[in-house]
Amino acid sequence: MITPIERGFGEKFLKSIDNFYSHGVDWLYNEWWETAPADAMAKYEAAILDHPEHGPLAREAWLAPDFRLATLDDCQPGTLGHAYRAFMVENDLVEQLAAGYRARHDELRASGKIDRMPDALAYKVLRGFQTHDLHHVLTGYPATPLGELALQAFQLAQMDFPYAAMWIAVVTGHMALVDPHLIKPAMDAITDGWGHGRSARSIQFIRFEDRLDQPLQAIQAEFGLSPTRASGETPQVNTPELLMVAA
């Protein structure tokens, strides 16, 4: 028997569908665990731990040291590190995003709000914040509203994970019930990311921080990534501010 969605959480889910700028998926993800069905949690945990590649890496639970942009200054053109530095600078991104989320995660854990979150899922979201911008560089998806959506679809294609699944559910709910003008561009982004993620080797949990001095194109070829597919112009939508940066 399928456990129904807890109706209090359902109201929070609708708030995100209404406006996922004011009630972001990051909050929704953390709010889910208090009432999440045990069978759903077990399936998400097994999707990581029982996977032949993801399982061993998740059990290792390696986290990179706090990132500093200056460590990339000497990376040569054409390397992953050089492209990563350019991406961070061009998009004016915060280098301490992952460290800030880890502190917030620790606060939530101390409060008891996410006590039911399995360790493998907790590791996935923490590691995801560390690798998010690296994954932008590797996949070629830009730091634009629809680029973010495509990357979430890519991540979901590579691993069953509630954070990415909630992103797709919230955006498709918003386009269906609030802004139909979003349907075509959102579905284009989702289908591109999904197909890309399904065809590529998994890049989840990989320690790309140890490969910053290596040629970007060689790494992309190794993992079957096709960054040129995301090089076109990002379609315009009526409410781009609602598609926020996510891990």
Side-chain angles (χ1 to χ4, degrees):
M1 180 178 177
I2 297 176
T3 305
I5 297 170
E6 198 278 325
R7 288 326 189 231
F9 177 78
E11 286 296 323
K12 297 172 183 177
F13 180 60
L14 289 174
K15 283 176 63 178
S16 291
I17 288 177
D18 285 339
N19 187 322
F20 41 94
Y21 181 79
S22 61
H23 195 259
V25 178
D26 55 338
W27 283 112
L28 194 67
Y29 175 81
N30 288 320
E31 290 166 338
W32 185 58
W33 299 101
E34 290 181 307
T35 59
D39 55 340
M41 290 195 299
K43 289 174 182 176
Y44 277 122
E45 183 179 28
I48 295 177
L49 296 180
D50 294 348
H51 191 280
E53 295 176 347
H54 302 155
L57 294 172
R59 289 184 177 89
E60 183 184 357
W62 182 82
L63 291 171
D66 289 349
F67 171 66
R68 293 289 186 276
L69 189 63
T71 62
L72 305 177
D73 287 350
D74 295 331
C75 291
Q76 297 299 306
T79 62
L80 171 59
H82 188 271
Y84 184 26
R85 187 185 190 286
F87 180 85
M88 297 293 288
V89 171
E90 289 168 6
N91 292 288
D92 195 25
L93 295 174
V94 179
E95 63 181 11
Q96 289 303 301
L97 176 64
Y101 187 87
R102 186 173 185 179
R104 176 180 161 193
H105 177 88
D106 290 343
E107 289 175 4
L108 287 167
R109 183 74 84 180
S111 74
K113 191 174 183 67
I114 57 174
D115 276 351
R116 298 178 70 231
M117 184 189 298
D119 288 343
L121 277 296
Y123 172 65
K124 172 64 180 87
V125 75
L126 290 171
R127 182 67 180 133
F129 268 86
Q130 290 191 328
T131 59
H132 180 75
D133 293 319
L134 278 167
H135 287 182
H136 268 293
V137 174
L138 289 163
T139 61
Y141 291 119
T144 61
L146 294 172
E148 298 292 348
L149 182 57
L151 185 57
Q152 287 302 317
F154 177 97
Q155 306 285 26
L156 186 60
Q158 296 210 326
M159 178 184 290
D160 293 348
F161 181 51
Y163 188 92
M166 287 180 192
W167 249 84
I168 304 304
V170 166
V171 171
T172 53
H174 184 85
M175 75 186 194
L177 304 175
V178 180
D179 185 7
H181 287 167
L182 188 59
I183 291 174
K184 286 185 175 62
M187 289 307 302
D188 283 345
I190 290 169
T191 54
D192 190 280
W194 179 264
H196 195 179
R198 291 282 288 173
S199 64
R201 281 182 55 195
S202 176
I203 61 173
Q204 308 304 312
F205 303 140
I206 302 298
R207 294 171 64 160
F208 289 111
E209 292 89 343
D210 293 339
R211 305 184 63 175
L212 295 171
D213 61 342
Q214 296 179 15
L216 172 59
Q217 290 186 352
I219 297 174
Q220 289 169 326
E222 177 186 343
F223 285 87
L225 298 167
S226 304
T228 55
R229 64 193 297 156
S231 62
E233 290 294 321
T234 301
Q236 296 299 308
V237 297
N238 288 350
T239 53
E241 72 279 359
L242 296 182
L243 293 171
M244 295 181 64
V245 173

